[in-house]
Amino acid sequence: MKGLNVLRWIVLGALLCLLGEAFAQQATVECRIADEIRLNRENEIKLYRVEHGKMVEKAGGKYTGDGYFAFCFVPEYEGFYVVGEEQNYCYPVWVKAGDKVTVWIDRKGGHLYGKKNSKENRVLYEWQELSREVSDMSTRRFMARQGTYEDFFRKLGELEKVTDRFKSEIRTGNTVFDELMKKSVDYEMDYYALNYLLTP
């Protein structure tokens, strides 16, 4: 009888360890959406993984009237994911096992909020804020103030002046992220210029 009780405790302990490990592997991406925006007709928000530079839908659903939605999942890889919807409101997040990312989406774009975000996401959203005006002029023309070709390239030049300093200060302790983030900054700068030139 005593042996059975000991066995029960061993089994229970093993199950608790497995559950604890499963929860530790899980990541959460939370979104809060401002009342004044609708992401799309269906009121849907999606989580995308990134494969060969393309967004591939991982999960999605309708968000409730309180403008809150959360994805809880075990990340297939550590790296960039995208949250939002495919066209006008989509924002990058860096996710690894155990992370909790919180994003606020309003008419001005995506913003990080809360105190539990990782160093990687804090750096990522520092860049989002730094490049927001140029990004809006290039990719979200409907949101940007109307401006001329000269206005855009003046702003792009101003942003270019601070990118080297920004990249030199990326030190999260995650060498994979740090290197990818530096490359991402360079790619985005090229993308903003090319996208603006190709916009009618």
Side-chain angles (χ1 to χ4, degrees):
M1 211 61 174
K2 209 171 191 182
L4 277 175
N5 282 338
V6 171
L7 184 61
R8 280 185 194 148
W9 282 111
I10 290 170
V11 170
L12 183 61
L15 283 172
L16 287 172
C17 284
L18 286 170
L19 281 171
E21 193 176 317
F23 282 118
Q25 297 299 315
Q26 211 172 51
T28 305
V29 177
E30 290 184 0
C31 299
R32 292 199 180 272
I33 298 149
D35 291 339
E36 74 268 15
I37 68 165
R38 281 181 69 87
L39 296 183
N40 47 48
R41 264 187 221 160
E42 295 77 27
N43 236 24
E44 280 187 338
I45 188 164
K46 295 178 180 179
L47 179 72
Y48 301 90
R49 64 183 187 274
V50 179
E51 287 183 8
H52 308 294
K54 293 187 178 177
M55 296 191 312
V56 178
E57 187 178 335
K58 180 175 177 57
K62 293 188 182 229
Y63 63 89
T64 58
D66 63 1
Y68 172 82
F69 204 90
F71 297 97
C72 291
F73 65 104
V74 175
E76 300 160 51
Y77 59 88
E78 176 184 349
F80 288 111
Y81 291 77
V82 175
V83 66
E85 53 93 69
E86 215 165 345
Q87 292 184 332
N88 300 316
Y89 297 97
C90 60
Y91 303 97
V93 288
W94 181 272
V95 182
K96 61 183 182 296
D99 274 357
K100 183 175 181 182
V101 188
T102 50
V103 179
W104 166 255
I105 299 174
D106 62 16
R107 283 204 178 276
K108 293 180 182 176
H111 319 272
L112 216 57
Y113 78 97
K115 296 179 180 177
K116 295 183 179 177
N117 290 293
S118 65
K119 288 179 185 176
E120 294 94 337
N121 281 296
R122 289 198 295 270
V123 168
L124 179 55
Y125 272 80
E126 189 183 338
W127 170 249
Q128 293 292 305
E129 292 297 332
L130 194 62
S131 62
R132 189 174 306 280
E133 189 174 6
V134 170
S135 173
D136 284 353
M137 289 176 83
S138 172
T139 63
R140 299 175 77 215
R141 300 289 294 278
F142 71 100
M143 289 298 296
R145 289 183 304 229
Q146 294 301 315
T148 65
Y149 176 91
E150 286 180 356
D151 293 332
F152 172 77
F153 281 99
R154 180 175 45 79
K155 292 283 183 192
L156 186 69
E158 289 168 7
L159 180 60
E160 191 172 23
K161 286 176 186 173
V162 298
T163 56
D164 285 341
R165 178 195 54 78
F166 176 80
K167 288 190 295 181
S168 71
E169 292 174 357
I170 298 173
R171 293 187 201 96
T172 64
N174 181 338
T175 53
V176 173
F177 169 81
D178 292 353
E179 288 309 307
L180 277 175
M181 188 65 211
K182 288 171 189 174
K183 288 178 183 174
S184 180
V185 167
D186 291 336
Y187 296 152
E188 285 186 28
M189 290 293 288
D190 291 343
Y191 173 73
Y192 297 148
L194 287 168
N195 196 65
Y196 190 88
L197 288 171
L198 294 171
T199 303

